[in-house]
Amino acid sequence: MDLVIRAPRAVTPDGETACNVGVSGGRIATVEPYDAEIPAERVVELGDDVVLLPGLVDTHVHVNDPGRSEWEGFETATRAAAAGGVTTIVDMPLNSLPPTVDVAALEVKRKTALGRVHVDVGFWGGAVPGNRAELRPLHDAGVFGFKCFLLHSGVDEFPPLDDAGLEAAMRELSSFDGLLIVHAEDADTIEHAPAPHGPRYADFLGSRPPAAETTAIARVIELAGRTGARVHILHLASAEAIPLIERARRDGVAVTAETCPHYLSFTAEEIGDGATQFKCCPPIRQAGNRERLWQGLADGVIDCVVSDHSPCTPELKRFDTGDFGQAWGGIAGLQVGLPAVWTGARQRGFTLTDVVRWMAQRPAEQAGLRRKGRLAEGFDADFCVFAPDEAFVVDAAKLRHRNPVSAYHGRPLAGVVHSTWLRGRRITGDEPHGRLLTRDAR
């Protein structure tokens, strides 16, 4: 073996156990009992205060590069990912310029990322009005699926699909088993809600009611059932939609769903006036809703937890006015997702095995990353060495994100990432050795 990691505690597909993990050629070659002798060029002995996890998979990251690299960028985003135990990200098609809505734009993005990434990076394509003919070429070029909006995305160059466009995209994708991932908020519902303005969080929350999510999700499910398309609901914030998803699955609709660490961590009741670092769309809702999201994870209706890392410059958060109507909507949380989720999970009786399922195994499966997300033979040797009982307080200025803006600033969290490994090699942040992934080379 090139490397053996001896772990008194490790999370495998069978649960937490003591084992030795042997690595050869960047892949896990064997997982043996802890007392097994495995010859290797290098042996790493872990203490019993840390747990060996598979590298996390974050399938919802806005890198914003090229075009808005002052918001983030491939170098900073992937360093932050590695610092948070994440070894694979999938980049969203919007907020970069050009958006990833055709093969030419995908090539621009890949050239921008090449040689600059510290973790492995895949790409989503976009489904927008007028690009139906581009979907199959993008699929053939290796994107993992296609994102669409049902209302204004926040940037004019990535417009939403209307009902006819949504059905047309689903029919096209079903012809080659492509995946549609949906920002599911209903434009008409939000248009008839009070407009967001001023520093009161309650006013912003009222501008994006739960009905906007449930209405949109019901429409996505109905069209998916009619067309046979595979669909995935992004960043589920309203627990009122959980029964819709559960019923759709019983009816045979191919629908999955994710939620995010910020929806599991924060509550509307604790967000103060002008605290625009908490603004995201859909919004963080009340405490009772948060607990129902946790139950949705426990029941398996919500499949996975990913960051929806959507950073911006401090100026765009409008801290000068605290106006929720004017501030950019997005939370930067790529680096702190694991401790944020673990902090909430352990308080509710969940285990690290649960967290690994939500943040590594299921995101990889949902995106089709067949060699990611598990400590098992044949999988990439991507590891996170995590100290679950070590605590820290988040300091936004010390995070690896490009801009020191974080809703988690000042929040005490449990769990510290000690090291992160990509294909059997420790990530130091000095020399990037991540790869650009395609759907066919996963």
Side-chain angles (χ1 to χ4, degrees):
M1 298 292 163
D2 304 321
L3 169 72
V4 166
I5 297 183
R6 290 175 42 80
R9 300 177 65 190
V11 175
T12 73
D14 297 322
E16 186 172 323
T17 187
C19 64
N20 292 341
V21 179
V23 176
S24 179
R27 297 229 184 127
I28 298 172
T30 187
V31 179
E32 302 285 349
Y34 187 66
D35 57 2
E37 293 289 338
I38 307 175
E41 293 181 16
R42 183 184 180 195
V43 176
V44 173
E45 299 266 1
L46 301 182
D48 58 11
D49 59 331
V50 296
V51 184
L52 184 66
L53 311 179
L56 303 189
V57 177
D58 192 337
T59 54
H60 196 148
V61 179
H62 294 270
V63 179
N64 310 323
D65 197 6
R68 292 188 174 99
S69 57
E70 69 275 14
W71 295 14
E72 192 58 273
F74 283 105
E75 291 174 277
T76 52
T78 56
R79 280 197 186 97
V86 176
T87 52
T88 304
I89 66 171
V90 187
D91 173 57
M92 283 292 167
L94 72 157
N95 300 348
S96 55
L97 294 170
T100 316
V101 295
D102 54 38
V103 173
L106 175 64
E107 288 307 308
V108 169
K109 184 168 280 190
R110 289 178 60 85
K111 287 176 182 176
T112 302
L114 189 64
R116 299 173 57 212
V117 297
H118 296 267
V119 302
D120 285 355
V121 177
F123 302 95
W124 296 109
V128 297
N131 86 325
R132 181 177 178 179
E134 303 291 343
L135 301 181
R136 183 59 187 260
L138 275 166
H139 178 80
D140 292 343
V143 301
F144 286 84
F146 300 88
K147 181 176 187 176
C148 73
F149 278 74
L150 306 184
L151 78 173
H152 194 279
S153 69
V155 291
D156 291 339
E157 68 273 5
F158 200 93
L161 296 176
D162 60 15
D163 283 354
L166 180 63
E167 181 171 356
M170 285 192 190
R171 290 195 181 282
E172 179 68 17
L173 295 182
S174 67
S175 71
F176 52 84
D177 196 32
L179 173 67
L180 186 69
I181 63 175
V182 186
H183 182 124
E185 287 183 286
D186 180 63
D188 187 64
T189 303
I190 290 175
E191 279 182 18
H192 287 86
H197 66 280
R200 293 184 68 245
Y201 185 75
D203 291 339
F204 170 65
L205 188 60
S207 74
R208 301 185 90 102
E213 289 189 74
T214 54
T215 299
I217 290 169
R219 185 161 70 252
V220 169
I221 287 170
E222 190 272 328
L223 287 174
R226 188 191 305 170
T227 62
R230 292 189 298 127
V231 295
H232 177 72
I233 305 301
L234 298 167
H235 45 51
L236 182 67
S238 173
E240 291 183 14
I242 290 174
L244 299 177
I245 297 166
E246 188 173 26
R247 185 163 55 249
R249 286 186 185 160
R250 288 200 303 266
D251 293 342
V253 178
V255 57
T256 53
E258 68 187 37
T259 193
C260 304
H262 41 275
Y263 299 129
L264 299 170
S265 298
F266 305 117
T267 64
E269 292 90 339
E270 68 185 294
I271 299 175
D273 289 353
T276 54
Q277 66 270 30
F278 291 94
K279 180 182 177 180
C280 56
C281 300
I284 294 163
R285 304 195 187 277
Q286 290 85 353
N289 180 84
R290 177 184 65 179
E291 297 313 308
R292 290 165 64 198
L293 291 176
W294 279 106
Q295 189 60 49
L297 281 167
D299 295 340
V301 183
I302 301 174
D303 299 89
C304 53
V305 183
V306 291
S307 70
D308 188 12
H309 178 69
S310 185
C312 65
T313 60
E315 293 76 20
L316 289 174
K317 277 296 185 182
R318 296 310 305 265
F319 295 125
D320 56 337
T321 64
D323 191 326
F324 279 95
Q326 296 179 348
W328 175 258
I331 288 180
L334 178 56
Q335 185 174 333
V336 296
L338 173 57
V341 172
W342 172 236
T343 298
R346 74 190 309 195
Q347 292 170 351
R348 292 165 176 82
F350 296 108
T351 67
L352 279 173
T353 299
D354 296 315
V355 173
V356 165
R357 183 174 66 255
W358 301 331
M359 302 189 76
Q361 178 183 331
R362 289 297 289 129
E365 290 171 350
Q366 184 268 326
L369 289 154
R370 296 176 181 170
R371 293 200 292 264
K372 301 290 187 181
R374 295 188 183 210
L375 289 185
E377 184 177 337
F379 282 70
D380 286 352
D382 299 347
F383 308 126
C384 167
V385 178
F386 185 62
D389 298 322
E390 197 172 330
F392 73 106
V393 176
V394 178
D395 182 346
K398 294 181 179 178
L399 297 176
R400 298 293 187 95
H401 308 152
R402 173 146 293 170
N403 293 291
V405 177
S406 175
Y408 296 92
H409 178 70
R411 193 173 185 88
L413 296 177
V416 173
V417 174
H418 281 203
S419 63
T420 306
W421 301 64
L422 183 65
R423 288 185 302 279
R425 183 175 175 184
R426 183 168 179 168
I427 302 172
T428 64
D430 297 325
E431 180 186 350
H433 58 273
R435 295 178 182 172
L436 303 185
L437 304 177
T438 66
R439 188 179 43 76
D440 289 331
R442 53 184 182 254

